[in-house]
Amino acid sequence: MARKKPLVVVTRRLPDKIETRMRELFDARLNVDDVPMSQAALIEAAATADVLVPALTDRIDARVIEAAGPNFKLIANFGNGVDHIDVAAATQRGIAITNTPGVLTEDTADLTMALILAVPRRLTEGAALITNGDGNWPGWSPTWMLGHRIWGKRLGIIGMGRIGQAVARRARAFGLQIHYHNRRPLPAHIEEELEATYWDSLDQMLARMDILSVNCPHTPATFHLLSARRLKLVRPDAYIVNTARGEVIDEHALIRMIEAGEIAGAGLDVFEREPAVSPKLLKLARSGKVVLLPHMGSATVEARIDTGEKVIVNIRAFMDGHRLPDRVLPAML
């Protein structure tokens, strides 16, 4: 007799290739309308599913976990970050959690490097003057649209995991000096390859950098890691780039300091109250002091397909009773 396929509830629309494969392998309930599921719908899914495949827009909190039915044994997250999942509550209920590490590294690093270039060189401001202007651009001038070069500047990377290291490799090619703060130093051979300087004290690093790149995950320990106090340590001619999670920076304090000229500007792909974007940030974007992007760091066809394939591998390992290749445990966070 053929084995019964597990009931897999997918909370958001995924690439066609991935959804088709899921339908072949599992009893997959797809979200064809791509409308975020309500809390009530997530609770219902937990009560009936064998496997839940959420995305970062879903809040898998204690209420959802408490509703888990007897067959609900796996949360196969579509994405690397799991800050939207109550990992401790799920683990206590015997529900395993997996994520998809590694698949977003190069794309997120590309976008981070793009923002590192865009903010000091005023790229989006210049593009807007051409595309949104009245056609009266007077032409080149020696003193018009002056930004700042990045070659020779100090880049401070906050979080030197896969993405931070990929950013460092790109930045070195642009002549930036690499500095970093991490929970622990990198192995000596990686430090040597990247010519990277480790700072045990984040405060000391912040005060000395020309550009700061936030590449750490959002966990309870990193919430407002760049607090109002720490942002005051940043030099007034420095720029901050964030392609990690909005909650890592005290956004209100960042806005206030850019408005006051106490920080030169920022490039943000993520926001503290996403998808809401502060009207003050929009105003700063119009003034050219910040570049804002709609959380598109991993938005490539290749990344989305690779992510979906990792989800499928984790579900199949679960079905076969094998070790989950990308299991997330509370001690890892």
Side-chain angles (χ1 to χ4, degrees):
M1 182 180 296
R3 181 177 51 177
K4 180 178 178 291
K5 292 181 178 180
L7 173 57
V8 177
V9 176
V10 183
T11 67
R12 297 301 298 267
R13 182 76 191 272
L14 303 182
D16 287 345
K17 177 180 177 181
I18 299 302
E19 291 188 337
T20 300
R21 189 63 178 144
M22 284 187 169
R23 290 296 298 272
E24 292 171 348
L25 294 170
F26 319 127
D27 178 9
R29 306 273 178 90
L30 306 176
N31 184 347
V32 295
D33 297 323
D34 202 29
V35 176
M37 293 174 67
S38 66
Q39 198 74 359
L42 290 170
I43 288 171
E44 182 180 351
T48 57
D50 298 303
V51 179
L52 182 66
V53 180
L56 63 88
T57 51
D58 304 303
R59 186 61 53 188
I60 313 301
D61 58 15
R63 289 177 56 214
V64 176
I65 301 300
E66 287 167 6
N71 298 321
F72 184 31
K73 296 298 181 184
L74 176 65
I75 300 172
N77 188 54
F78 185 87
N80 189 37
V82 293
D83 46 301
H84 56 296
I85 301 171
D86 191 329
V87 176
T91 303
Q92 190 173 15
R93 285 291 302 269
I95 301 167
I97 300 167
T98 59
N99 65 347
T100 59
V103 297
L104 313 177
T105 300
E106 302 304 329
D107 301 310
T108 305
D110 284 345
L111 195 81
T112 303
M113 196 65 223
L115 286 172
I116 289 171
L117 286 164
V119 180
R121 291 301 306 272
R122 303 171 66 181
L123 297 187
T124 59
E125 186 183 357
L129 284 167
I130 295 291
T131 58
N132 301 330
D134 55 10
N136 293 324
W137 173 50
W140 181 87
S141 164
T143 57
W144 189 69
M145 285 298 297
L146 298 183
H148 291 278
R149 74 164 57 126
I150 66 168
W151 185 91
K153 298 296 193 297
R154 293 187 179 95
L155 172 66
I157 298 175
I158 302 169
M160 202 61 147
R162 293 184 185 92
I163 295 172
Q165 291 174 43
V167 170
R169 292 186 179 95
R170 286 158 174 76
R172 278 191 62 221
F174 282 85
L176 286 150
Q177 299 176 39
I178 307 304
H179 297 251
Y180 75 101
H181 170 77
N182 208 35
R183 286 184 293 182
R184 59 187 66 89
L186 294 172
H189 70 281
I190 298 179
E191 267 198 358
E192 184 176 348
E193 175 204 342
L194 299 176
E195 298 179 8
T197 300
Y198 174 67
W199 293 82
D200 178 67
S201 167
L202 176 58
D203 288 7
Q204 290 185 19
M205 187 182 82
L206 292 176
R208 293 166 171 83
M209 297 298 111
D210 301 297
I211 303 169
L212 293 158
S213 177
V214 179
N215 299 108
C216 61
H218 172 223
T219 68
T222 63
F223 176 75
H224 281 191
L225 182 67
L226 291 187
S227 60
R229 180 191 69 79
R230 282 200 167 115
L231 289 171
K232 287 182 183 227
L233 302 172
V234 176
R235 290 167 35 180
D237 58 349
Y239 301 92
I240 296 176
V241 168
N242 187 7
T243 57
R245 285 289 189 268
E247 294 90 341
V248 177
I249 301 179
D250 183 336
E251 191 174 281
H252 178 71
L254 177 66
I255 292 169
R256 187 174 66 248
M257 293 184 70
I258 295 174
E259 289 174 335
E262 296 169 359
I263 293 176
L268 306 175
D269 186 45
V270 289
F271 307 93
E272 188 167 354
R273 293 167 184 84
E274 208 169 297
V277 179
S278 167
K280 291 183 178 180
L281 273 178
L282 297 175
K283 184 178 179 181
L284 285 171
R286 289 191 289 270
S287 74
K289 292 183 179 179
V290 302
V291 175
L292 307 178
L293 297 176
H295 201 146
M296 54 189 289
S298 61
T300 67
V301 172
E302 295 86 352
R304 297 291 189 253
I305 290 175
D306 289 349
T307 301
E309 287 176 345
K310 263 192 175 280
V311 169
I312 290 171
V313 167
N314 281 301
I315 298 174
R316 294 196 71 178
F318 163 75
M319 288 171 56
D320 296 336
H322 295 156
R323 184 184 66 84
L324 299 174
D326 301 303
R327 187 163 189 173
V328 177
L329 297 171
M332 299 165 60
L333 304 177

